[in-house]
Amino acid sequence: MTEGVQGVVTGDLDGPVPAAEVRGQRVLDLLDKAIGAQSPLVRKNIARARQRNPEATPAQVIRNLERMYVSALTGTGAAVGGAAAAPGVGTGVALALSAGEALSSLEMSALFALSIAEVHGVLIDEVERRRTIVMGIMLGGSGSATITKVAERTGQHWGRQVVAKVPAETLRQINKVLGRHFITKYGTKQGIIVLGRVAPFGIGAVIGGGANAALAALAVRAGRRAFGPPPESWS
């Protein structure tokens, strides 16, 4: 597959493919890669959140997971922003650093969303349902609105409804719409953040850390809406 004139990518068998569509698919491929890599680590992440207090309640563990996620994502954004904007670092290297951090951000977000689901007793064995949970939480309010509209369900706490009641065919429809929103919103935000990091030294760290903190706060609020109050005890 090669990129030709006017932003068109030419495939060997299927003919021209719009470059924007290819870039969008790359974003979704990164998401799937992040979900696949982090799914086996969910229980270890929860154990880490309980490490200082083995008797912690689900509510306490969820608060710890939220703090861990916000801290890690903010710290990564600031570190990469500072390194990318350091004197002597070329634009190519800066952009490569930011691209690597984008995958890391997706992995942290996937791990957070799936960990919250696990604490709530919502076990997600199917890849399609994992995609719905992760994209829905990362997209915040727009993700929640899309899921409830396409699923034709009302009420709070869509995270439980998706796993327990929505058929596979409906899930695929939901994920198709979520995927388009995810490419637009996440891809655009990352593009803005990447450009911001290639700024004078010090400014890039502030932009990177602040932008990631905002993304993390969005996901935390969305996770609370998706699953509702924590269980009172471990099942």
Side-chain angles (χ1 to χ4, degrees), residues 17-212:
V17 179
E21 183 178 327
V22 173
R23 286 192 294 271
Q25 186 57 49
R26 285 173 184 161
V27 172
L28 295 180
D29 287 345
L30 280 177
L31 176 68
D32 279 348
K33 183 177 181 181
I35 291 172
Q38 299 306 308
S39 293
L41 303 179
V42 166
R43 293 191 177 180
K44 288 184 179 179
N45 192 43
I46 294 171
R48 185 179 162 217
R50 298 181 70 175
Q51 194 168 18
R52 292 186 179 179
N53 180 13
E55 302 302 318
T57 65
Q60 291 171 325
V61 169
I62 286 174
R63 283 197 295 272
N64 285 342
L65 288 169
E66 292 173 347
R67 283 194 290 264
M68 286 161 52
Y69 171 59
V70 172
S71 175
L73 201 61
T74 303
T76 301
V80 172
V89 175
T91 301
V93 174
L95 292 176
L97 284 170
S98 292
E101 195 270 334
L103 175 58
S104 177
S105 296
L106 279 175
E107 289 180 336
M108 289 179 191
S109 298
L111 182 60
F112 168 71
L114 297 174
S115 297
I116 295 297
E118 178 91 8
V119 174
H120 277 275
V122 179
L123 305 181
I124 312 167
D125 297 326
E126 300 173 18
V127 172
E128 205 71 50
R129 296 184 195 276
R130 290 183 194 136
R131 290 189 187 114
T132 308
I133 292 293
V134 173
M135 284 193 290
I137 287 177
M138 290 190 70
L139 287 170
S142 64
S144 174
T146 296
I147 292 166
T148 54
K149 181 179 179 180
V150 178
E152 297 181 342
R153 295 181 183 276
T154 58
Q156 296 178 317
H157 318 324
W158 60 263
R160 295 180 178 278
Q161 295 182 31
V162 163
V163 174
K165 301 176 182 178
V166 178
E169 181 56 37
T170 303
L171 272 180
R172 284 190 284 272
Q173 295 174 18
I174 290 172
N175 286 346
K176 188 174 181 180
V177 179
L178 286 178
R180 289 197 297 266
H181 292 175
F182 190 83
I183 290 167
T184 300
K185 189 168 186 177
Y186 187 81
T188 300
K189 281 189 181 231
Q190 284 303 119
I192 292 171
I193 294 167
V194 166
L195 291 176
R197 286 178 186 140
V198 190
F201 186 60
I203 297 176
V206 173
I207 294 174
N212 274 16

